[in-house]
C-alpha cells in the first residue's frame, strides 16, 4: 500500500521543531492537513506563524491523561485524522554510576516509549475505520546499537522498534500501515542546542524521508542508521565499540 503525501490529516507529536516540523512542512506542502502537538506554546505558536494553515495543540506525551485528551480532542475536531506521527522525544545523558531520582529516568521512558505506545493504541480504533491510515514511529539508529552515554534513550528506541515490528505484524491486511523512520544523528536541538551539530542536515534528511514515504517504503533508515539497520551481529559489535570508544564519544 502506498502512503500518499496529499489528502491526509496528520497529527505530529513534537511537531514544533526539528524532524517533526520538517516532516509537517512537507506534508502541508504536499496538500495534507497538519496538526502539531508539543509542550512549549511559544515554539508551537512560532510554527503556526510561519504556517498559518497548521493547527497547534499543547500536549505532553509523557502524561497518560494528556495523551487520552489529545486523541479525544483531535479525533473530535479533525475526524479525518488518518496519520499519527509519533515523533516527540527527549535524549538525556546519564552516568549510571551516579544515581539520579527515578522520576527523571521515568520521565524519559514515559515520553519516548509509553507515549508512542499509548498514543498508537488510543488512535488505532479511529484509524482502523479509515480507508487508508498510517502510524509513523520515529525511532533511531541507536535502536540497533546503543550509545552508552544516553543509555535510557537508546533502550527506549530499541523497545519502540520492537513494538513497531509487532504492531505492523498485527495490523497486516488492515487499512493501517505502520512505518518506521530511523534517523541517524540529524542537526536538531535534540538533547539541547549544540549536541547534534555534527549530524546530517535536517532539510536533506527530511526530503529523503518524504521521497521514500511517497514511494511506499515502510522502514526508512538514513545514513549511519541505514548501515546499522542492515548490519550483522559482528558488524554491530564493531559499531558499538567504535561509537563508544573515547574518541567516538
Ligand atoms: N536529531 C537526531 O539526531 C535524532 C536521531 C535519531 C532519532 N531522533 C528522534 O527524532 C525525534 C524528533 O527529535 P528531533 O531531533 O527533531 O529533536 P527536537 O527538535 O528536540 O524535537 C523534539 C520535539 O519533541 C517535543 N517533545 C519533547 N518532549 C515532549 C513531550 N513530553 N510531549 C510533547 N512533545 C515533546 C519537543 O517540544 P517540547 O519540548 O516543546 O515539547 C520537540 O519539539 C525524536 O523522537 C528523536 O528521538 C532524532
Amino acid at each position: 500500500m502506498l502512503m500518499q503525501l496529499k489528502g491526509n490529516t496528520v497529527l505530529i507529536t513534537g511537531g514544533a521543531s526539528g524532524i517533526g516540523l520538517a516532516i509537517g512542512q512537507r506534508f502541508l506542502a504536499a496538500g495534507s492537513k497538519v496538526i502539531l502537538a508539543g509542550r512549549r506554546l511559544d515554539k508551537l505558536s512560532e510554527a503556526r506563524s510561519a504556517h498559518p494553515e497548521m493547527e497547534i495543540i499543547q500536549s505532553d506525551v509523557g502524561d497518560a491523561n494528556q495523551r487520552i485528551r489529545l486523541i479525544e480532542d483531535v479525533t473530535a475536531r479533525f475526524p479525518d485524522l488518518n496519520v499519527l506521527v509519533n515523533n516527540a522525544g527527549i535524549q538525556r545523558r546519564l552516568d549510571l554510576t551516579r544515581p539520579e531520582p527515578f522520576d527523571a529516568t521515568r520521565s524519559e521512558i514515559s515520553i519516548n516509549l509509553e507515549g508512542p505506545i499509548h498514543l498508537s493504541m488510543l488512535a488505532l480504533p479511529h484509524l482502523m475505520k479509515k480507508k487508508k491510515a498510517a502510524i509513523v514511529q520515529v525511532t533511531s539508529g541507536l535502536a540497533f546499537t546503543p550509545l552508552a552515554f544516553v543509555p535510557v534513550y537508546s533502550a527506549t528506541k530499541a523497545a519502540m522498534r520492537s513494538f513497531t515490528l509487532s504492531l505492523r505484524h498485527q495490523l497486516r491486511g488492515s487499512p493501517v500501515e505502520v512505518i518506521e523512520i530511523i534517523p541517524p544523528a540529524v542537526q536538531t536541538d535534540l538533547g539541547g542546542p549544540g549536541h547534534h551539530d555534527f549530524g546530517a542536515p535536517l532539510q536533506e534528511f527530511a526530503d529523503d524521508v518524504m521521497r521514500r514515504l511517497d514511494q511506499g517504503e515502510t522502514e526508512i533508515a538514513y545514513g549511519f542508521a541505514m548501515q546499522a539497520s542492515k548490519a550483522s551481529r559482528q558488524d554491530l559489535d564493531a559499531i558499538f565499540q567504535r561509537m563508544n570508544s573515547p574518541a567516538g564519544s
Side-chain angles (χ1 to χ4, degrees):
M1 186 187 357
L2 264 188
M3 159 109 213
Q4 306 248 315
L5 302 185
K6 65 167 190 245
N8 302 293
T9 300
V10 186
L11 169 62
I12 306 176
T13 66
S17 69
I19 293 171
L21 182 59
I23 288 175
Q25 288 165 330
R26 284 159 179 77
F27 266 118
L28 183 73
S32 286
K33 172 104 196 131
V34 173
I35 305 144
L36 308 177
R39 290 172 304 182
R40 284 167 300 169
L41 199 51
D42 58 329
K43 291 300 279 182
L44 289 163
S45 303
E46 219 177 272
R48 169 121 198 212
S49 303
H51 308 285
E53 312 91 322
M54 286 186 180
E55 304 286 342
I56 55 170
I57 299 183
Q58 193 173 24
S59 178
D60 181 347
V61 306
D63 180 302
N65 289 327
Q66 292 194 41
R67 295 192 290 259
I68 293 168
R69 269 209 305 281
L70 176 66
I71 297 300
E72 279 175 0
D73 184 25
V74 172
T75 52
R77 286 169 58 199
F78 310 101
D80 290 338
L81 177 80
N82 71 326
V83 180
L84 166 67
V85 183
N86 277 316
N87 164 76
I90 61 166
Q91 183 186 78
R92 292 176 331 119
R93 295 180 180 218
L94 176 60
D95 178 348
L96 295 165
T97 66
R98 294 167 188 239
E100 65 169 2
F102 191 66
D103 276 354
T105 323
R106 184 191 287 129
S107 132
E108 190 170 20
I109 298 170
S110 301
I111 294 169
N112 291 2
L113 181 59
E114 285 182 21
I117 290 178
H118 192 191
L119 287 171
S120 300
M121 293 167 71
L122 288 167
L124 205 49
H126 176 89
L127 299 179
M128 290 289 263
K129 291 186 208 134
K130 300 291 163 195
K131 243 168 97 184
K132 270 188 168 195
I135 296 177
V136 181
Q137 316 282 23
V138 180
T139 64
S140 168
L142 301 184
F144 296 90
T145 176
L147 192 55
F149 66 74
V150 291
V152 175
Y153 175 86
S154 299
T156 61
K157 293 298 182 177
M160 264 319 291
R161 169 161 171 80
S162 168
F163 176 77
T164 301
L165 294 174
S166 298
L167 184 67
R168 183 181 295 126
H169 184 76
Q170 288 201 16
L171 296 181
R172 68 197 184 285
S174 86
V176 186
E177 194 169 20
V178 177
I179 295 164
E180 183 181 6
I181 297 175
I182 312 172
V186 177
Q187 290 169 24
T188 69
D189 282 348
L190 186 70
H195 280 123
H196 282 88
D197 288 353
F198 61 94
L202 175 61
Q203 304 306 329
E204 279 173 32
F205 166 74
D207 283 342
D208 189 65
V209 165
M210 298 309 278
R211 181 183 59 76
R212 292 163 63 189
L213 264 183
D214 196 31
Q215 288 175 351
E217 283 188 44
T218 53
E219 194 173 292
I220 304 177
Y222 185 86
F224 152 77
M226 166 95 90
Q227 239 180 292
S229 74
K230 297 194 182 309
S232 66
R233 173 60 202 272
Q234 212 176 11
D235 290 344
L236 282 178
D237 286 347
I239 294 172
F240 179 86
Q241 290 306 332
R242 208 165 48 241
M243 270 181 12
N244 290 296
S245 71
S249 60

